[in-house]
Amino acid sequence: MRSPAAIGSSGKVNQGNNIGGQDPSSALRLTLLLCLAEIFGLSSMGVFPSLLPTFQREWGLSHTEAGWISAAYYAGYMALVPLLSSVTDRIDARRIMGIGAICGIVGAVAYALLAQGFWSAFILRFLAGIGLAGIYMPGLKVVSDHTEGPLQSRFVSFYTASFSIGASLSYLVSGEIDAVAGWRWAFAASAVGTACALAIIVWHVPAGRLQEKRRGALHLDFKTVWKTRPAMAYVLAYAGHMWELFSFRSWIVAFLAFSVQLQPPGAATWSPTRIAFLTNLIGLPASIAGNEFSRRYGRRRVVTIVMIASAALGAIIGFTAALPYFLVTLLAVLYGMTVTADSASLTAGAVEAGPAGLRGTTLAVHSTLGFGAAFLGPLAVGMVLDLFGGHLVAWGMGFSVMAAGCLLGPLFLYSLGSKTASPSRGSSAQN
């Protein structure tokens, strides 16, 4: 990690440490610290979806209402990430991360103390989503700022794949604490985790790189990104990916709980939250491996294959709830692999293809559209479940809607031009 002397008061980083002569071990150490902050910052992400059957039972929530509360987390993220991510080109990203962690702590503590039903849960999950908006993409901006060069894609994949660790631990810890002490303590524990993220940010995260010279109005930066077709190809494909991924993360515990009800007594030996932990954790090696395959065989080709395979599996899995539980579990874990295998590749592609000097704004557009889809996906699945009555066919149709979003990804990748990386960057994201 860089010493404070390497960072100017304006947050600009001395260029000698950032390009070809950068020590790879230093870059790796910094990336791992930011991954750890990200993991702790995600402590509250999975609490509501992991305990969704409990909230439906205690508060009498319909599937649509449960979908709205799940979606509120991503709505909060989507509402603030355009600002919080884009301003990291002008304001130290470390400060934005600290603000996000504080919002996350407040949201988790308030939910533990005050949540009583649909509206209170919706508002407080919205606040928690704002906290994630302050941590996730600004953290990625710091990683990409301090890891220029041919290995940048790999470090970016480490960071984005660590999202799976944070999400999976959130599911596991929430389920275990709820079983012992109840859901309010599960939310309180998530606040402690986010406080650990804040400590790492304050004491160990270096400043992000700022623009070297003052630019015009912020909206002009967004306009430039929107006009960069190679970057937007990845951004829009990422939106399709996020529709599927966060629909899956929002509803997987409820689906497994439904499957348990269809099994013979004693057949389900693992709780749905423990299986959800595995399905999320498997995303870590899947995402990193997907990016490594992209570097070797072509980003667009690999992402297209993964998205089509994932959509095919998603269209099937919802109809399998009545199969033996170990088969349902196996399919869920396999789907957890395919649904995340394109994640790091898409984000690395957007970083590499974005216009020079506007990395923070590129990530803002990337994340806004992505989490906009993440907001709509869980809600759409909940509506479909209510429409079809919440039984086996309903879950099959719900997962089919979930999977359909990612089929748009290949369409965007191939329709927005033949180039998938900015020529000026010489990146590894070639076709």
Side-chain angles (χ1 to χ4, degrees), residues 394-408:
W395 280 105
M397 297 304 295
F399 268 82
S400 296
V401 169
M402 185 185 302
C406 77
L407 284 177
L408 294 174

Side-chain angles (χ1 to χ4, degrees), residues 323-340:
L323 293 180
Y325 196 61
F326 80 93
L327 286 178
V328 178
T329 298
L330 181 63
L331 287 171
V333 172
L334 182 60
Y335 193 37
M337 293 176 62
T338 62
V339 81
T340 52

Side-chain angles (χ1 to χ4, degrees), residues 127-208:
L127 177 60
I130 293 175
L132 179 62
I135 294 175
Y136 182 51
M137 281 296 167
L140 180 56
K141 169 69 160 51
V142 177
V143 171
S144 58
D145 280 349
H146 291 263
T147 57
E148 297 283 8
L151 291 180
Q152 184 189 71
S153 172
R154 181 169 295 164
F155 289 126
V156 167
S157 75
F158 289 168
Y159 182 84
T160 56
S162 294
F163 199 106
S164 295
I165 299 179
S168 60
L169 288 174
S170 181
Y171 278 90
L172 178 65
V173 173
S174 300
E176 298 302 313
I177 293 178
D178 174 66
V180 174
W183 62 264
R184 293 190 185 275
W185 281 106
F187 270 97
S190 73
V192 175
T194 310
C196 292
L198 179 61
I200 294 171
I201 293 164
V202 170
W203 293 106
H204 297 290
V205 174

Side-chain angles (χ1 to χ4, degrees), residues 57-84:
R57 185 173 58 252
E58 287 193 14
W59 294 345
L61 299 174
S62 68
H63 288 99
T64 300
E65 289 172 325
W68 272 109
I69 297 173
S70 291
Y73 184 78
Y74 310 118
Y77 184 101
M78 178 181 63
L80 266 292
V81 76
L83 174 64
L84 296 181

